[in-house]
Amino acid sequence: MPPFLVVVLLCAFLGACIWFLHRTQVRRTVETADRAAPLPALDDGKLPDFVATPPTVAVAAAAANDNWLGEIRSLRDSDQLDAALALSRAHFPKTQAFQQAAIILRQQIRSGLDQFQPVGHLLVQLFHTAALADLFRSSTSHKPLDPAAALAAMRDMSFQYATIGHMRLKLLNKSDVRALEQLWGNPTTHRHVEDVLGEAWLKWCRPSPDLAQ
């Protein structure tokens, strides 16, 4: 066999080994997501939504909340992850809707790795979901007057990992962070999304001039 062909084959074999080792490392990182985050609490905990529910409708809201959450769990259990994700997104900006979307995306990432499929686009979606959840977190001091309209404006916005980082995004667990760092590197800046957006977000949190008059 010609020496040149031997070198080519050795290079190809080395490249395949490097790719396999990288994929194995990413898979192990993602597989620890269930252990690194309190997923039972995400499924069963009754966490506050971004918009406070008036006491007079609390009972009805609780029943409706259980209904859509139960449907999402049923879809997940039957491996209908795309439908479960769509239903979760339909209930944004509810806190548990963001959490369910993150859980589903982690399931899809694990499934993609098991089938030797690329999962970078799913990590992008997970980061985007975490950024939205940060905007609509219950502790923020800048709450939009019309959450539905603000969500519609922000839903398709491209959030930049380099300027937001991950430390402020509470929806992400340690395994998510490691996977994102493998995809995009270790950011040097970590900020809340509202601080990055500035006026683009604050304008949804103030009365319009017409209403102020």
Side-chain angles (χ1 to χ4, degrees):
M1 182 179 294
F4 175 75
L5 183 57
V6 173
V7 172
V8 171
L9 290 176
L10 287 175
C11 290
F13 178 75
L14 180 61
C17 289
I18 293 174
W19 176 86
F20 179 78
L21 290 173
H22 174 72
R23 178 197 168 278
T24 301
Q25 183 181 10
V26 173
R27 186 178 187 280
R28 288 176 178 174
T29 296
V30 175
E31 282 181 342
T32 59
D34 288 343
R35 296 188 295 272
L39 294 189
L42 296 185
D43 275 347
D44 302 324
K46 302 302 181 184
L47 301 179
D49 284 331
F50 177 79
V51 183
T53 302
T56 55
V57 297
V59 175
N65 186 59
D66 289 340
N67 183 52
W68 67 265
L69 279 175
E71 187 172 351
I72 289 174
R73 294 189 189 104
S74 296
L75 289 170
R76 285 171 47 201
D77 291 342
S78 60
D79 204 31
Q80 301 181 62
L81 298 183
D82 288 339
L85 184 59
L87 182 55
S88 297
R89 287 171 171 164
H91 286 274
F92 286 0
K94 295 178 180 177
T95 299
Q96 289 183 319
F98 286 127
Q99 293 174 329
Q100 289 296 323
I103 294 171
I104 295 162
L105 285 166
R106 292 182 188 119
Q107 288 181 253
Q108 291 182 320
I109 290 170
R110 288 194 295 270
S111 176
L113 290 172
D114 288 340
Q115 300 176 37
F116 296 91
Q117 296 177 348
V119 297
H121 66 292
L122 296 172
L123 286 169
V124 170
Q125 292 181 48
L126 180 58
F127 175 77
H128 188 272
T129 300
L132 280 178
D134 181 68
L135 269 180
F136 289 91
R137 68 190 188 281
S138 58
S139 62
T140 180
S141 58
H142 302 294
K143 301 181 186 297
L145 300 178
D146 187 342
L151 175 66
M154 299 294 156
R155 186 185 290 273
D156 296 327
M157 180 167 289
S158 178
F159 300 114
Q160 300 301 314
Y161 176 79
T163 56
I164 295 172
H166 53 64
M167 289 182 62
R168 304 293 185 184
L169 306 185
K170 300 304 182 184
L171 191 68
L172 300 176
N173 61 36
K174 293 180 180 179
S175 294
D176 300 334
V177 168
R178 286 195 294 269
L180 288 170
E181 287 183 347
Q182 288 183 17
L183 180 66
W184 288 325
N186 190 0
T188 57
T189 300
H190 301 276
R191 303 171 65 190
H192 283 299
V193 180
E194 65 186 49
D195 296 332
V196 174
L197 294 181
E199 184 60 27
W201 173 251
L202 293 178
K203 68 180 182 181
W204 295 101
C205 306
R206 295 191 294 259
S208 65
D210 294 337
L211 294 177
Q213 294 178 358

